[in-house]
Amino acid sequence: MSQSHDELLLGLSYARDTMARMQGISREYAQLKKGLHREKDAVNGKLLLRHKRVLVHGVLLLAAFAGAVAIRDEFGFTVFAILAALSLWSWNLQGFMKKLYYLAAAFGAAMYVYTGWHADMQAMLAVIAAGLILCFAVVKVWNLMVAAGNRRNAGKDQAAKERMQELDAAYGQLEAELKEKTSSWYPLDYYNMQAAEFFLNAVRNHRAESVKELVDLFDAESARRRQLELQKRQAEEQRRRQQIQAQNQQAIREKLEFADRMDALARYIEGAQRDRDVRDIKRQLQDIENNLNSR
């Protein structure tokens, strides 16, 4: 269907404005989605002792604390404090730190064995039992805090989720209206802001008077931009190669200059050695002559 200049301008203005609104909706939707809180997971208390990392830290801390209580001296409590700090520091780390807290756990177990030979075993077992009860209590409190935090974040996110639903519906409505009003004449593969802006500017400046001319002009401009970008990348690559070549040539010149200096130094040393040899020979001849004259 052929369109007059004014009809084409009006239709392109509507298409560009609608796409701009859809782009703004997409941007706001992405920002809201990025700001949503991630729900934290609770710790399963029933599987606590089968959780490798929790078990490692439990052995480490409880054994160290039991040893400190059993020994009842400053050294024991100092060791416990150091191991506790190591345990907390390495909790969320990987790689080397994972090996470190496994090593620390083994050290804690060794302390347990050591204190078993030097202290009251019943007191140590009581301390460990109290520690296990404390662990499960801490897990329970932690889960309550996690649940409360998740509820609090869910309340904060509810307004954002409702707004996201509104934006999604508004985007779908705009998209449907745009296709309904423009699908009969607007090219299907050019529903984007770059093409819409180009089409509108081209019609305003009388560079094209039909959709076919607009598409041909846009494709030609896009090909020209791609060619310019390709030429720009090729020129940058050529400059980079020239810089590398110049650096290599400079390095070669420096190596040759260094080799020349070393050669000159070697010749100088060789000449100096010859001069010393000549002087030594003359001195020896003079000594022989002096000895002969003295006789």
Side-chain angles (χ1 to χ4, degrees):
M1 178 178 75
S2 69
Q3 295 172 297
S4 66
H5 178 272
D6 292 340
E7 289 175 343
L8 186 58
L9 186 63
L10 185 62
L12 289 173
S13 297
Y14 165 77
R16 193 277 310 271
D17 293 342
T18 304
M19 290 182 197
R21 291 170 60 189
M22 293 170 64
Q23 189 179 63
I25 289 174
S26 298
R27 190 180 299 113
E28 183 180 356
Y29 186 95
Q31 291 176 348
L32 289 172
K33 186 176 181 180
K34 184 179 180 180
L36 293 178
H37 297 83
R38 186 178 66 86
E39 184 175 354
K40 292 183 178 180
D41 297 327
V43 177
N44 190 340
K46 295 180 180 180
L47 300 178
L48 181 63
L49 292 179
R50 280 187 280 173
H51 194 293
K52 185 185 298 184
R53 190 167 56 178
V54 174
L55 180 60
V56 166
H57 287 268
V59 170
L60 167 65
L61 295 178
L62 292 177
F65 184 68
V69 172
I71 297 175
R72 292 186 179 88
D73 64 2
E74 185 177 351
F75 171 76
F77 285 102
T78 302
V79 171
F80 167 72
I82 293 174
L83 294 180
L86 274 176
S87 177
L88 295 175
W89 182 45
S90 64
W91 181 265
N92 290 319
L93 297 181
Q94 300 294 328
F96 172 76
M97 290 309 303
K98 182 181 292 187
K99 298 177 182 178
L100 177 61
Y101 67 64
Y102 281 136
L103 181 63
F107 183 72
M111 281 192 62
Y112 179 85
V113 174
Y114 173 78
T115 53
W117 291 99
H118 295 81
D120 184 3
M121 182 64 69
Q122 292 182 351
M124 289 179 58
L125 293 176
V127 170
I128 293 178
L132 289 174
I133 295 173
L134 179 62
C135 282
F136 283 104
V138 169
V139 168
K140 184 64 176 179
V141 173
W142 172 260
N143 287 341
L144 292 175
M145 294 173 60
V146 167
N150 288 336
R151 288 193 298 270
R152 188 165 53 251
N153 291 333
K156 293 179 182 178
D157 293 341
Q158 184 61 33
K161 291 180 179 179
E162 292 176 355
R163 177 58 180 165
M164 289 170 65
Q165 292 178 353
E166 294 175 358
L167 292 173
D168 189 53
Y171 186 94
Q173 183 179 359
L174 286 174
E175 185 178 28
E177 291 178 357
L178 179 63
K179 295 293 180 62
E180 180 183 357
K181 294 182 179 180
T182 62
S183 60
S184 61
W185 58 272
Y186 195 94
L188 181 62
D189 296 333
Y190 297 83
Y191 277 99
N192 57 77
M193 278 298 298
Q194 182 182 3
E197 286 282 0
F198 181 88
F199 290 164
L200 186 59
N201 291 330
V203 172
R204 283 175 176 172
N205 293 285
H206 299 277
R207 298 180 62 192
E209 295 297 334
S210 67
V211 175
K212 184 179 183 306
E213 292 178 0
L214 287 172
V215 171
D216 292 340
L217 185 61
F218 179 79
D219 289 343
E221 289 288 337
S222 298
R224 187 179 67 85
R225 284 195 296 270
R226 288 194 297 270
Q227 183 65 26
L228 290 175
E229 286 294 328
L230 178 60
Q231 292 175 356
K232 181 179 179 181
R233 288 195 298 269
Q234 289 176 345
E236 291 176 353
E237 180 66 19
Q238 182 66 21
R239 284 196 296 271
R240 188 182 67 83
R241 290 179 180 177
Q242 290 175 351
Q243 291 176 353
I244 294 175
Q245 185 178 5
Q247 292 173 357
N248 291 337
Q249 291 176 350
Q250 178 65 24
I252 292 173
R253 285 195 297 269
E254 292 177 354
K255 289 180 180 179
L256 291 175
E257 291 175 357
F258 178 76
D260 291 339
R261 289 195 294 269
M262 294 301 295
D263 186 56
L265 179 61
R267 290 196 300 268
Y268 173 79
I269 294 173
E270 184 180 358
Q273 183 64 39
R274 283 198 304 267
D275 293 341
R276 282 197 300 272
D277 293 342
V278 170
R279 285 195 299 270
D280 290 342
I281 293 172
K282 289 182 177 180
R283 188 165 49 252
Q284 291 174 4
L285 291 175
Q286 185 65 40
D287 292 340
I288 292 172
E289 183 179 358
N290 293 334
N291 289 333
L292 291 174
N293 292 332
S294 64
R295 292 177 182 177

